Amino acid sequence: MPKLIIDDIPVEVAPGTSVLEAARSVGITIPHFCYHPALAIAAACRLCAVKLLDGPVKGIQMSCALPAQDGMVVSTTDPEALKMRALVIEWLMLNHPHDCPVCDEGGECLLQDFTIAGGHSRRRYQGKKRTFQNQYLGEGIHHEMNRCIECYRCVRFYRDYAGGTDFGVMGSAGRVYFGRFQEGPLESPFSGNLVDICPTGVFTDKTGRFRARYWDYQFAPSICQHCSVGCNTSPQNFQRETIKIVGRRNDQVNGWFICDRARFDKSYLNDPQRPREPRLDGATCGYDVAVDAAAKSIAEFVRKNGADKLALVGSTRLSLEGMILLAQLAEVAGGAKVCYFDDAGQQQGSLAAAKLLHEENAAYVKDIEQAQWISLHALDLMEEGPMLALAVRKAFLAGAQIFLVAGDMLPAMKVLPFKYTAVETLDQVPFEGGGKGVIICGAGSKDPDLLAEMASSGAKLVMLQPGPNGFAAALLAQQHAAVPLAELVAARQVQGVVCFEADVPEMLLSDLEVLANADWRRGAVEAKAPIFLPTTTWAESDGTAINYEGRAQRFERSRVAGLPLKGLDPKYYGSATEAVSLHPPRVHRKDVPGGAERDAWQVMAQLIERLGGEALEPFSGKWRALRNLDPEGEGVRIFEMGLGE
Amino acid sequence: MDLPLFRHNRPNRVVTFDEYREEGGFEGLKKAFSGMSPNDVQQAVLDSGLRGRGGAGFATGRKWSFVPRDLPGPRWLICNCDEMEPGTYKDRVLLEHNPYSLIEGMTLACYALGVRHAFIFIRKGYEKAAANLARGIEEAKKAGLLGEHILGSEHSIELDLHLSAGRYICGEETALINALEGKRPNPRSKPPFPAVKGLWQGPTVVNNVETLANVPAIVANGAAWFKGLALNPEGAGSKLFCVSGSVKNRACIELPIGTTLGDIIDGACGGMRDGKKFKACIPGGASTQFLKPEHWNLPMDYDTVVKAGSRLGSGGIIVFDEGHCLVEATLNLINFFARESCGWCTPCREGLPYVKEILTRIENGRGEEDDITILREHVKYLNYTFCALAPGAMAPLDGLLRDFEDEVREHIVKKKCPLK
Amino acid sequence: MIPETLKTSLQARVASAITAREAAVDVMKELQAHYGWLTDEAVQEAAALLGLSPLQVEELATFYEMIYRRPVGKKVIHVCDSISCWCADCDKIIQYLKDKLGVGLGGTTADGMFTLVPCCCMGMCGDSPAMSVGGVPYGRLTPELVDEILEAERHKP
Ligand SMILES: Cc1cc2nc3c(=O)[nH]c(=O)nc-3n(C[C@H](O)[C@H](O)[C@H](O)COP(=O)(O)O)c2cc1C
Ligand code: SF4
Ligand code: SF4
Ligand code: SF4
Ligand code: FES
Ligand code: FES
């Protein structure tokens, strides 16, 4: 453990730690551009200069590329180091445009920060600025090469980290250019990370340019709800609109990055067509009116048909809180059935996976990255868990062998960022070497025997769940011996349903009475339900999700519910008593336009109360341990808390 | 004089394989393969005091000794024939007259280092040298001096040419390795040094053409003989000096290490051109500081030249006379370096064009007093770059400000170039 | 499209390399010799031969001084402007070339015969000022010699 002194502070760090990281560990940020913890060291920008006053190395050194050694005495404030850093800024500003106010990066720009911090305010250089042509890179990312400071982060991410081959660096000397061979959409499904990783405004999120500055945003720690990997994100909202979504670091899940689906697939959040008003028999009504009606309808149905003819249907996109309360509600309703899946196959696979996995065999992402062999089983990784492809790539780069048991899926698969050997069946994968191997498969619709066979291999397991919160659904389904809706329908065991964020196919609904529906999405259920209760999405609610490896993660409300201010229908400028005045909107309203949505689990709690029960805090009883989950932490694997069974 | 490199040269043509052998060529190889161990060969090179002729002057035997012997997997030898340092043309002259010394020297180096596959990295424009080498390699193979089972031994050594497409940075050894691998020729960080992790991550030695071409004579005649060739006791061997600029006969000549600057210019080069006065010279290719008239009797040897404030470098001597404006000369050099920067690190990529802009203004009479301060900042802080290109670029500028500040100032004060 | 013979020989070159990438510069140079410059099509062909993406070839192509990614004349004149040639008054030779060819640096003559570009030291410093025409080096240039060389090169294949 090297011991060194940085700015008079003694520091002890693990061998191999750079001086820059050592300084960071005691709260000293050494300015840097090219350094990024997730990427290989480039030592290209030369901004992180420090001076070594004593010890095995002396003089000006680049702290990002210098391993901390015993006896080093480092000064980050030595005049020579300051001068070097000031010059680096001056050099970078020779050609950089002086127009932060019209740059979308302004306010969240590393160059802007360090230019100000370094005190660069006078232009000594009398030459012209060089300029470049920009490229069209698709609908996700805007390109502005004049803002480039040649830190090579983008190529080190896109090419080295993510395995993309259509973006790179061209030219030499003062004409290096970061882009594509020819204009066109970036091919990598991880391309959006260029926005986060570029320290300046070269790559900005085209879907949200010039809408707001960093300080305008409302954001909160969140969890991506597109698949069961559960990547950590931070939605950036402005005036009730989710403008951008950026990656949030969690080394146990997604590292620093997210896939493009997580980042760009967000228009549904802001969709003005989202159903936002509670409805009763087709007419808009107050939320409480709708809840009352739903409670009444449930009570009547139970009285008429018996509670066992009623199913409360949830789904894998419901939050854990909602799933827990769904069972409470069923009980209060006199013993109604609960469904967490509609499809039998999905439930079977999902449950089998949840049962098979435990602390020892459920792969951590590090297990994937450090595996000696990895076998992918009939799954489209880029669909079912894109970020894991990058973990597999890390293993691949470190020399792991990758197999793909594809069956007839192969042609449909998207390009994977690693090389693999395609094999026909599971038997052709060499299982021996167990502990250092990882099997990755999708759990939904899988034969439990096949899953069990995989589990018996001794390899670490990744069983991707159908849906973002599939693992939790499986746990609850198991706990409450829930039967999939499709089976109940087939056996004619139910006559009525109340759906909570459940995408039940129309076919299943044909012989059912839909009493009420709570959702933020439109669909077959919504069309059939006489009572509609709009719910919030993950962006507007607090909640908990359990990812494929059993990791419970808390997400927080990142903005209030309601229609985005931008494009707001003028009808909201008026009120019940006053006419619409187009400008200025003089009517003051207490309620947020379209802001009636409630979290699904709160709707359930209200129904419980209306039905005469007492809504328990979702995280009580065996779930108590999850009550204080830190949204900014790494999450907790439920096995560790004995929640696995 | 019996100097190792040019003694095989024929005027205006390349020496033939037979001629080379008749004059003692491949004797070193035979000697090594009949009784010397690889270690003996390396020791001989170490004892000879041979220093790298590519510019840095690092002791060749020591460099070889850094190669770990116990690692599995192949190791590599690369001959650096990128020779794009302005003022340097010695490797071309050597190879256009005699490719065999290099081929023999590389075979010996491979033998000493346990290398089975070596490359010669040749710059664009040196097609003639490449053709000579290609032919020479075939001849040596046919004669059993290269290829499978050299001289009937169990040693097999392969020699391949890599023809580049023109960039000075490719001469930097780690950039060269990237270039050879077919990657963008940006330098790599050191450590790890190539001797430990180089070509395809294997241990790799990179040596200059002239360095390797000296090895046969060292092995054949012994380390002591080689050492004794130098005129000064600290030096060893001979050196190819390639002279250009204001001398009567611009020529590439082989002279003992330690020959004085004056003897080179007045001797082999026949003195200054048109009776002009010697003003300064750059002694070792573009990335070295100026030497001045007071250095006329300076023995041209690595350490001595360093003591005089410059470097022997590649041995490319560029001579300036009193009619030359050294601001403009430096501007020309900086222009070269700015153009050839690989674009990896900020100070070089941005700093060199900055210096160029300032020198251009000074030369055109638009210089300002502040400019000298800014230039000095660059001289100091361009040392902290990723590779040695930018520090090399600063050497002549450093020299200019150190030795010819008055000339620079005159430009600024008179608002014009005093020599125009 | 490149002729089958060239394709086969390039495939052989790539196959003989330790890793395919190693042959990239050779392949680019051969394709350039065929097309006159490295056309977009050539970049794509090189990529296919080397098992790289066009971008990966472009990364290399745009680095090297002697790979042309823009159309050039039948012969490219590289005239050295580095220090030894500067000492030998290369500025005058460059000006002479510009005047004679009626083009600026980087320009191609109206008849498509020559493209004039400055270049870094050619290793001909002992024979400065120097230039190369279509890859053939010439030294100790004088305006008269330049006239002769251009006349001869114009008629050489
Ligand atoms: C920018 C730069 C260019 C270089 N160019 C050459 C070159 O053209 N030829 C050469 O032999 N060494 C060149 N070198 C030095 C090499 O990096 C390396 O030190 C040398 O090839 C080692 O050989 P030696 O020990 O035999 O001198 C260059 C170094 C730098 C920093
Ligand atoms: S990239 Fe940063 S420094 Fe540059 S203009 Fe934009 S905000 Fe300003
Ligand atoms: S585009 Fe951005 S990330 Fe890439 S080199 Fe330029 S500044 Fe760095
Ligand atoms: S100093 Fe930096 S930019 Fe210049 S050649 Fe070396 S690595 Fe490239
Ligand atoms: S952060 Fe260290 S050189 Fe860029
Ligand atoms: S400087 Fe022109 S050939 Fe060397």
Side-chain angles (χ1 to χ4, degrees), chain A residues 3-12 26:
Chain A
K3 285 186 195 143
L4 62 163
I5 293 171
I6 305 178
D7 292 346
D8 299 328
I9 305 172
V11 191
E12 190 170 352
V26 289

Side-chain angles (χ1 to χ4, degrees), chain B residues 251-369:
Chain B
C252 178
I253 40 202
E254 182 178 20
L255 291 168
I257 283 269
T259 306
T260 64
L261 179 62
D263 282 348
I264 295 172
I265 294 175
D266 272 348
C269 297
M272 296 292 290
R273 183 174 61 190
D274 305 335
K276 292 254 166 83
K277 237 173 79 195
F278 175 84
K279 180 175 183 182
C281 80
I282 281 182
S287 45
T288 54
Q289 280 91 343
F290 294 100
L291 290 181
K292 294 195 291 179
E294 69 204 56
H295 297 117
W296 194 253
N297 293 319
L298 187 76
M300 296 299 274
D301 161 53
Y302 290 93
D303 296 337
T304 333
V305 180
V306 167
K307 274 185 212 134
S310 186
R311 289 189 309 117
L312 187 55
S314 62
I317 301 176
I318 307 150
V319 179
F320 302 102
D321 64 52
E322 76 243 275
H324 283 130
C325 166
L326 293 185
V327 173
E328 198 184 342
T330 310
L331 170 60
N332 177 287
L333 290 164
I334 294 292
N335 186 41
F336 164 82
F337 287 111
R339 207 193 277 166
E340 293 301 307
S341 160
C342 82
W344 183 257
C345 68
T346 309
C348 172
R349 186 189 60 243
E350 312 295 343
L352 291 176
Y354 196 170
V355 169
K356 181 178 154 188
E357 188 267 339
I358 292 175
L359 287 178
T360 309
R361 271 196 290 104
I362 295 179
E363 178 59 18
N364 294 337
R366 291 187 294 111
E368 295 163 13
E369 184 56 37

Side-chain angles (χ1 to χ4, degrees), chain A residues 159 165 167-171 181, chain C residues 40 53-55 58-59 62 69:
Chain A
R159 186 180 62 192
T165 57
F167 170 91
V169 49
M170 291 157 274
F181 173 54
Chain C
D40 287 359
S53 69
L55 177 271
E58 183 78 332
E59 288 186 312
T62 51
R69 279 291 282 122

Side-chain angles (χ1 to χ4, degrees), chain A residues 87-98 120 123-130, chain B residues 349-355 378:
Chain A
L87 278 168
V88 170
I89 296 290
E90 182 177 4
W91 286 320
L92 291 174
M93 292 308 292
L94 298 187
N95 287 297
H96 195 89
H98 289 191
H120 175 70
R123 185 167 178 79
R124 302 192 291 179
Y125 180 64
Q126 299 182 24
K128 283 190 181 159
K129 287 184 189 288
R130 67 170 169 245
Chain B
R349 186 189 60 243
E350 312 295 343
L352 291 176
Y354 196 170
V355 169
H378 281 78

Side-chain angles (χ1 to χ4, degrees), chain B residues 86-88, chain C residues 80-86 120-125 128 130:
Chain B
T88 310
Chain C
C80 173
D81 63 0
S82 290
I83 189 69
S84 304
C85 289
W86 175 81
C120 293
C121 177
M122 299 167 51
M124 299 265 294
C125 326
S128 50

